[in-house]
Amino acid sequence: MKSLLTFLKGGVHPPEAKGQTASLPIERMPVPKELEIILGQHIGAPCTPTVNKRDEVVEGAMIGEVKKGLGVPLHAPVSGKIKDIGTSAHPMRVSAPSITITVDHEAAPVQYDKTDWTTMSAQELLAKVQEGGIVGIGGAGFPTHVKLSPPKDAKIDQLLLNGAECEPYITADHRQMLEHADEVVEGARIIMKILGVSECKIGIESNKPDAIDVMGKAAAAVSGAGCNIVVQPLEVKYPQGSEKQLIQAITGRKVPAMALPSAVGVVVQNVATASAIYDAVVYGKPLYEKVVTISGKGINKPANLLVKVGTKVSDIVDYLGGVKPELAKIIMGGPMMGFAVSSLDIPITKTTSSILFLTEDEIDATPHSDCIRCGWCLDACPMGLEPKEIAIHVEANKAEDTAQFGVFDCFECGSCAYICPAKRPLVQFVRLAKMKAKR
């Protein structure tokens, strides 16, 4: 195996907790009776509905569009009837505008025909990505076609595919690399043509040797003149999969504060996003279903599920046999960057990576205390920030003074909170500081 690379500053080593689902093949979940599709599934302007109540829709048809501002279209995950245009529960915003579809289980499945993407121009490929509603599946949902349109003065020389999947519990990307390696690599080739680059490196943490092997073979099969795709094994360290940390680990380049990866000649895409790009370009299939890891000791049957966007957590719980009595907390996303939720009525979005059902022995409910000035959070922060000072200033009602400590460079990875011996909710302090400092 190649030497393991990693970023230089900070990072932590939380328990991996991937054993429950790492060996479980992707399982397609039956479609429930109804889907609730959130209109704002990406960074930027939320979609405006293009359908009305009681309209009949076909799987894959556009049901929402963004006319102005940053965004991508939204598509019907199923055939059925528009039941309502209202609001749905949301893990971060409490509620959000949505479209509810009553599923027609008698409708014939939509067939997508394969096309030869190699004859298309870069602009045609980019248009396909936009039309497919593709967003960054592994992150905050940034519209992919925008990310693949870097500033004209940026000299992009390589693509990085992120297969690190460094968050504990989550194995969705791992399974997709094992089961759909060819699609991921073909998606990488499409992205490379759009960007006009010939170099692609796929970063995978060394705790996934099977994925490194499978992806390495798939990459080698298509590499040749004008196309060099290689797998780079990475050290197991959180947050290895963060964009700036991945770039530094693999290329040695450091993205300046408040700058984009294109400033150092790199574009980063998640491996699952590359697979979605393959579907959108080769088959014309929009992004309306995704793989989600369901894990934790509080669920009766852990799984890696392929679910329709808009499927509610409650339907997933029912399908997997319910929760256990000792369930203590539900988290949408990973334990480091996810959000605890109190309702099962929240629908899956394009960026939902996992749902964790955790018991008391999987969480730390110790009350937090005052900062003891140990400095551990400074050592753990991969961005070299000062989390303790941000928190202290927030507590003193001086959030507007936290920019000097790098609050806007923080991507809320949670390394500081994880390592803090006083159990201080440092990520929550950072989020509060950002909100108050922007006023």
Side-chain angles (χ1 to χ4, degrees), residues 307-384:
V307 301
K308 300 286 187 179
V309 168
T311 302
K312 289 195 290 188
V313 176
S314 57
D315 290 317
I316 292 174
V317 169
D318 289 343
Y319 175 67
L320 295 177
V323 297
K324 296 179 181 178
E326 51 269 35
L327 173 67
K329 180 179 283 190
I330 303 172
I331 296 176
M332 292 195 74
M336 300 294 286
M337 295 187 70
F339 290 80
V341 297
S342 58
S343 171
L344 295 180
D345 291 328
I346 299 174
I348 297 298
T349 68
K350 295 178 183 180
T351 58
T352 305
S353 57
S354 66
I355 309 170
L356 306 181
F357 297 84
L358 307 179
T359 57
E360 289 286 354
D361 64 336
E362 294 179 285
I363 63 176
D364 188 345
T366 307
H368 78 272
S369 58
D370 293 337
C371 177
I372 62 174
R373 306 277 184 173
C374 66
W376 287 10
C377 61
L378 278 69
D379 293 336
C381 179
M383 296 299 291

Side-chain angles (χ1 to χ4, degrees), residues 15 27 46 99 131 142 148 153 186 189 194 247 263 302 336 381 425:
E27 177 183 351
I99 296 174
E131 291 164 8
F142 195 84
L148 298 183
D153 59 347
E186 197 73 356
R189 291 182 62 209
I194 293 173
I247 291 170
M336 300 294 286
C381 179

Side-chain angles (χ1 to χ4, degrees), residues 152-386:
K152 291 183 179 179
D153 59 347
K155 297 180 179 178
I156 307 299
D157 59 20
Q158 63 180 292
L159 166 70
L160 299 187
L161 279 198
N162 186 353
E165 198 164 52
C166 58
E167 276 247 27
Y169 288 93
I170 308 175
T171 57
D173 286 352
H174 184 186
R175 293 309 311 180
Q176 288 189 86
M177 288 188 287
L178 286 179
E179 299 178 39
H180 302 289
D182 291 339
E183 289 89 337
V184 173
V185 169
E186 197 73 356
R189 291 182 62 209
I190 293 169
I191 299 169
M192 291 167 71
K193 183 170 181 178
I194 293 173
L195 295 173
V197 301
S198 59
E199 296 285 332
C200 172
K201 292 176 181 173
I202 306 172
I204 306 174
E205 281 195 329
S206 61
N207 59 358
K208 309 173 188 65
D210 48 358
I212 291 173
D213 179 59
V214 171
M215 289 293 294
K217 291 175 180 176
V222 300
S223 293
C227 178
N228 183 31
I229 304 176
V230 297
V231 171
Q232 175 58 61
L234 304 170
E235 183 181 317
V236 178
K237 183 169 72 168
Y238 180 87
Q240 190 76 261
S242 168
E243 196 168 60
K244 291 184 177 180
Q245 278 60 49
L246 188 74
I247 291 170
Q248 186 181 63
I250 295 179
T251 70
R253 304 173 191 177
K254 186 175 181 180
V255 181
M258 307 303 287
L260 297 174
S262 58
V264 294
V266 178
V267 168
V268 181
Q269 290 289 347
N270 177 266
V271 290
T273 306
S275 183
I277 287 172
Y278 169 84
D279 285 339
V281 170
V282 176
Y283 289 99
K285 179 184 176 181
L287 175 57
Y288 56 71
E289 59 185 9
K290 73 183 309 290
V291 179
V292 179
T293 295
I294 314 298
S295 192
K297 297 178 182 178
I299 190 77
N300 275 312
K301 182 190 172 188
N304 290 301
L305 290 184
L306 179 63
V307 301
K308 300 286 187 179
V309 168
T311 302
K312 289 195 290 188
V313 176
S314 57
D315 290 317
I316 292 174
V317 169
D318 289 343
Y319 175 67
L320 295 177
V323 297
K324 296 179 181 178
E326 51 269 35
L327 173 67
K329 180 179 283 190
I330 303 172
I331 296 176
M332 292 195 74
M336 300 294 286
M337 295 187 70
F339 290 80
V341 297
S342 58
S343 171
L344 295 180
D345 291 328
I346 299 174
I348 297 298
T349 68
K350 295 178 183 180
T351 58
T352 305
S353 57
S354 66
I355 309 170
L356 306 181
F357 297 84
L358 307 179
T359 57
E360 289 286 354
D361 64 336
E362 294 179 285
I363 63 176
D364 188 345
T366 307
H368 78 272
S369 58
D370 293 337
C371 177
I372 62 174
R373 306 277 184 173
C374 66
W376 287 10
C377 61
L378 278 69
D379 293 336
C381 179
M383 296 299 291
L385 311 181
E386 299 186 58

Side-chain angles (χ1 to χ4, degrees), residues 7 10-14 236-239 336 376 380-381 413-416 418-419:
F7 53 96
V12 293
H13 294 86
V236 178
K237 183 169 72 168
Y238 180 87
M336 300 294 286
W376 287 10
C381 179
C413 70
S415 295
C416 55
Y418 173 79
I419 207 71

